[in-house]
Amino acid sequence: MTDPTPSADARRWLADFGAALARQDLTAATALFGDDAYWRDLVAFTWNIRTQEGPAAIREMLAARLADTAPTDFALDGEATAADGITDAWFTFETRVARGRGHLRLKNGQAWTLLTTMVELKGFEEKKGPRRIKGAEHGVHPGRKTWLERRQEEQATLGYTEQPYVVIIGGGQGGIMLAARLRRLGVPTIVVERNEKPGDSWRKRYKSLCLHDPVWYDHLPYLPFPDDWPVFAPKDKIGDWLEMYAKVMELNYWGSTTAKKASFDEATGEWTVVVDRAGQEVVLRPKQLVFALGVSGYANVPKIAGAETFLGEQHHSSRHPGPEGYQGKKVVVLGSNNSAHDICAAMVEQGVDVTMVQRSSTHIAPSDSLMELALGGLYSEQAVKNGIDHHTADLVFASVPYRIMHTFHIPVYEEMKKRDADLYARLEKAGFMLDFGDDGSGLFMKYLRRGSGYYIDVGASELVANGSIKLKSRVNIERINPRSVTLSDGTELPADLIVYATGYGSMNQFLADLVSPEVADRVGKVWGLGSGTTKDPGPWEGELRNMWKPTNQANLWIHGGNLHQSRHYSQFLSLQLKARYEGLDTPVYGQAPVHHLR
């Protein structure tokens, strides 16, 4: 007798699971999961993005989907590993219509977490590797068209004499990545973007803006950044990369184009989208409409008494040009998250007198600590050396169910509190209000739950701590005067410029204006998990609301998130759209109900 290895344990579980599913034995299949088990499925079984929590929910999903899905060929992919009583294993599998990849965690011989993801649709694979197109037509072909001529013909006809299957509203990073995946899958797509060129949404921000996430976390699909790309990319470098990417990926990208109105015909299953393309009205009639407008809606600009009397300049952080031109001025920044800190730090760098007004507590995560403690194991040079590329890292990240994700993060931020105790103590001494999330789970959970309330510290926190950035906390601006602001504690601050670093509204504000308030309410709140924490009202939903999956409005989708999320989830959204384009049956299991409107 030999001791069982992690790989043997995983193979045995996969064999038992596959056999139970093959004979449609729900009792045997469910018995392979522990009482605290989770099965997260990205499209492969449910045509949805959904987590089944507990054996009863798993059995219910299998009862509804097993016969149609017809899963087979569960096979271990590489060697399993074991640590702290948990066995980790990768595996591959097939369904009736697709090939998939998954991840398994075993605890006491039973599944604790199971991830299943769709990789490709059978018969509709990307034309890559051995399937790549030849490109050249050898021989003599009278009247042949060159690549350029065919490309120019497509650009001249798509949207006019030929209709796209998908229209993506928003040509930032999310829209570009999704369009690239759809291009590879042969789905006719147009991206509509009000800015002139890809990357302009980055170029037009304040000049000191850089990514706060590291390069290993931020690659685009198919074309990773070069290996000398900066760890934290400056905004204009990202802008140029997006412009290049849209060109070489041959996207049908309509810059200088504004979507004016959209409506859906239930009878034909078709959208009518009216756009203004460089002054010309064009009517597009796609089957599928995707909103890819970032994580947020319109800029939140608070209505403050006396704003109309202000003799200086005031604008939202999204319109802030940078610190140049404000030397010798008094600047007040309302807000204390990422943009507020970036803007204040740039002001200090230019010798500008700036005061940050902090209304509520903020989570501060020092960049070096965040990179090492939270991201280093998956997204770093060392991770790459350990064989964990960003594709693998994305799946590891996705394999942790949202219900228990905070328990993985709490120890990270407990260690951060110790490591950066001196900075935190000096910030609090300066009056800065700190938090680590409602349950101590830190930055990423705040991002998922509410999309706000944090700053990745790349230097501004020291300026707050040492007084270079003046601070007024536990107050709001109560009134704006011609040359000053009055705070809620009665303090008056002289001001020549007021910057509202006050965040953004919900994404479905765009739906209300572009489609209708009724459709916006049918879709409901976008983003958040239903955790019951600050700004994320319950009930628990288990996945991000309305993101990358079917919404309650037919043929309407929402895509967005940071670079990592846009890269990872664009794969699953593109496969859902491709399946519908090819006329495959796509019965959605577990359509999420709407608990919160706009």
Side-chain angles (χ1 to χ4, degrees):
M1 295 289 289
T2 58
D3 290 332
T5 64
S7 293
D9 288 343
R11 281 195 192 92
R12 186 179 306 110
W13 190 94
L14 290 168
D16 291 345
F17 187 55
L21 297 185
R23 62 179 187 269
Q24 299 193 27
D25 186 342
L26 301 187
T27 299
T30 307
L32 292 167
F33 292 84
D35 291 340
D36 60 346
Y38 301 86
W39 181 347
R40 188 171 192 228
D41 180 60
L42 305 183
V43 184
F45 279 73
T46 60
W47 290 109
N48 200 354
I49 294 178
R50 180 176 167 83
T51 301
Q52 284 66 231
E53 301 184 358
I58 290 169
R59 182 182 181 117
E60 185 178 339
M61 185 274 282
L62 285 174
R65 296 295 304 133
L66 181 55
D68 180 55
T69 305
T72 58
D73 298 330
F74 288 87
L76 189 67
D77 185 12
E79 295 298 316
T81 60
D84 301 323
I86 305 296
T87 297
D88 276 85
W90 295 99
F91 63 93
T92 57
F93 65 98
E94 296 195 12
T95 68
R96 193 188 308 279
V97 300
R99 297 179 188 91
R101 190 163 191 237
H103 183 270
L104 169 69
R105 288 186 183 89
L106 291 174
K107 184 166 64 174
N108 300 322
Q110 291 179 301
W112 177 34
T113 70
L114 180 68
L115 172 73
T116 48
T117 75
M118 183 181 288
V119 173
E120 60 185 2
L121 291 162
K122 295 177 182 177
F124 305 107
E125 299 86 356
E126 292 184 1
K127 291 180 173 62
K128 62 182 181 181
R131 297 191 188 92
R132 72 175 76 221
I133 62 170
K134 200 166 186 179
E137 291 182 88
H138 296 157
V140 177
H141 301 276
R144 80 162 77 195
K145 293 179 180 176
T146 64
W147 165 83
L148 178 59
E149 288 168 331
R150 292 195 302 272
R151 181 77 182 111
Q152 289 172 335
E153 183 178 306
E154 178 187 23
Q155 290 173 319
T157 58
L158 190 65
Y160 297 97
T161 57
E162 301 287 334
Q163 285 300 317
Y165 182 73
V166 177
V167 165
I168 301 171
I169 297 177
Q173 62 206 33
I176 285 172
M177 286 192 238
L178 178 60
R181 291 197 185 272
L182 290 169
R183 180 78 177 180
R184 294 264 292 227
L185 290 168
V187 179
T189 302
I190 289 175
V191 179
V192 170
E193 168 58 42
R194 66 184 177 185
N195 286 313
E196 180 186 357
K197 296 184 298 185
D200 278 354
S201 54
W202 284 91
R203 294 187 187 97
K204 291 183 176 182
R205 298 296 303 278
Y206 53 90
K207 79 174 196 177
S208 63
L209 177 66
C210 288
L211 280 174
H212 290 180
D213 300 321
V215 61
W216 308 278
Y217 189 75
D218 294 330
H219 293 297
L220 275 61
Y222 313 122
L223 289 178
F225 294 119
D227 58 9
D228 69 340
W229 195 261
V231 174
F232 303 108
K235 70 179 182 72
D236 295 286
K237 198 169 179 66
I238 288 289
D240 289 348
W241 186 264
L242 290 172
E243 185 176 0
M244 175 281 302
Y245 186 90
K247 185 175 180 64
V248 301
M249 299 304 286
E250 300 181 15
L251 307 186
N252 293 300
Y253 191 98
W254 287 17
S256 302
T257 304
T258 303
K260 308 296 285 185
K261 196 66 184 170
S263 59
F264 184 68
D265 188 323
E266 299 283 350
T268 62
E270 184 176 275
W271 287 92
T272 298
V273 184
V274 179
V275 304
D276 179 319
R277 187 181 190 192
Q280 178 193 15
E281 183 174 286
V282 183
V283 179
L284 300 172
R285 301 190 185 280
K287 294 291 186 183
Q288 309 287 342
L289 183 61
V290 180
F291 282 78
L293 294 162
V295 174
S296 309
Y298 298 117
N300 275 335
V301 178
K303 289 181 169 57
I304 302 174
E308 72 284 355
T309 70
F310 189 57
L311 298 177
E313 187 181 347
Q314 53 185 319
H315 52 239
H316 189 265
S317 58
S318 58
R319 297 184 176 275
H320 181 62
E324 294 74 23
Y326 297 108
Q327 285 88 350
K329 306 283 189 182
K330 302 281 189 180
V331 177
V332 173
V333 176
L334 179 62
S336 57
N337 296 335
N338 271 330
S339 293
H341 278 84
D342 283 350
I343 290 167
C344 288
M347 291 287 180
V348 169
E349 197 171 72
Q350 293 292 321
V352 179
D353 183 316
V354 61
T355 300
M356 177 188 290
V357 177
Q358 184 189 27
R359 299 168 295 172
S360 57
S361 64
T362 305
H363 171 52
I364 303 294
S367 178
D368 289 347
S369 296
L370 185 71
M371 296 308 110
E372 184 178 340
L373 297 173
L375 292 174
L378 295 179
Y379 300 98
S380 66
E381 207 63 44
Q382 188 58 50
V384 173
K385 287 181 182 177
N386 294 342
I388 302 175
D389 62 8
H390 58 282
H391 303 294
T392 302
D394 288 350
L395 288 173
V396 173
F397 218 100
S399 73
V400 179
Y402 288 126
R403 173 72 83 173
I404 58 173
M405 186 175 280
H406 66 287
T407 67
F408 285 63
H409 287 258
I410 289 170
V412 168
Y413 294 94
E414 288 296 323
E415 179 60 29
M416 194 177 290
K417 285 179 187 176
K418 297 175 187 173
R419 178 178 296 207
D420 299 293
D422 177 64
L423 173 65
Y424 292 135
R426 289 187 296 116
L427 280 170
E428 290 190 312
K429 186 176 180 180
F432 195 86
M433 296 184 288
L434 290 170
D435 73 60
F436 283 80
D438 288 12
D439 53 6
S441 58
L443 188 144
F444 198 70
M445 294 309 299
K446 263 200 162 188
Y447 170 70
L448 293 170
R449 290 165 172 171
R450 53 183 280 192
S452 64
Y454 51 83
Y455 167 57
I456 299 175
D457 177 26
V458 292
S461 289
E462 178 59 36
L463 300 177
V464 174
N466 67 27
S468 299
I469 296 173
K470 297 174 183 177
L471 177 69
K472 289 293 294 184
S473 62
R474 295 176 173 82
V475 293
N476 205 340
I477 298 177
E478 192 168 87
R479 167 169 283 279
I480 297 175
N481 311 305
R483 297 191 182 278
S484 66
V485 298
T486 301
L487 304 181
S488 51
D489 66 354
T491 303
E492 186 173 349
L493 299 177
D496 301 296
L497 167 67
I498 304 169
V499 181
Y500 300 106
T502 43
Y504 301 84
S506 173
M507 275 181 275
N508 73 356
Q509 291 174 311
F510 293 119
L511 305 189
D513 287 350
L514 190 64
V515 188
S516 71
E518 292 76 22
V519 165
D521 287 346
R522 190 178 307 152
V523 170
K525 185 176 171 64
V526 177
W527 206 259
L529 300 169
S531 63
T533 57
T534 303
K535 296 189 178 181
D536 184 27
W540 176 251
E541 307 215 14
E543 294 287 344
L544 282 172
R545 297 182 188 96
N546 286 307
M547 294 301 299
W548 317 295
K549 59 185 177 180
T551 67
N552 282 296
Q553 168 59 52
N555 299 24
L556 187 147
W557 310 79
I558 296 174
H559 176 58
N562 58 29
L563 283 156
H564 148 76
Q565 290 171 307
S566 292
R567 172 187 67 243
H568 180 60
Y569 287 101
S570 60
Q571 172 186 337
F572 305 107
L573 179 48
S574 68
L575 288 167
Q576 292 173 82
L577 292 167
K578 173 66 171 176
R580 287 160 174 81
Y581 176 66
E582 298 296 347
L584 301 182
D585 190 26
T586 56
V588 177
Y589 176 78
Q591 179 76 52
V594 174
H595 298 292
H596 305 283
L597 306 183
R598 287 167 288 144

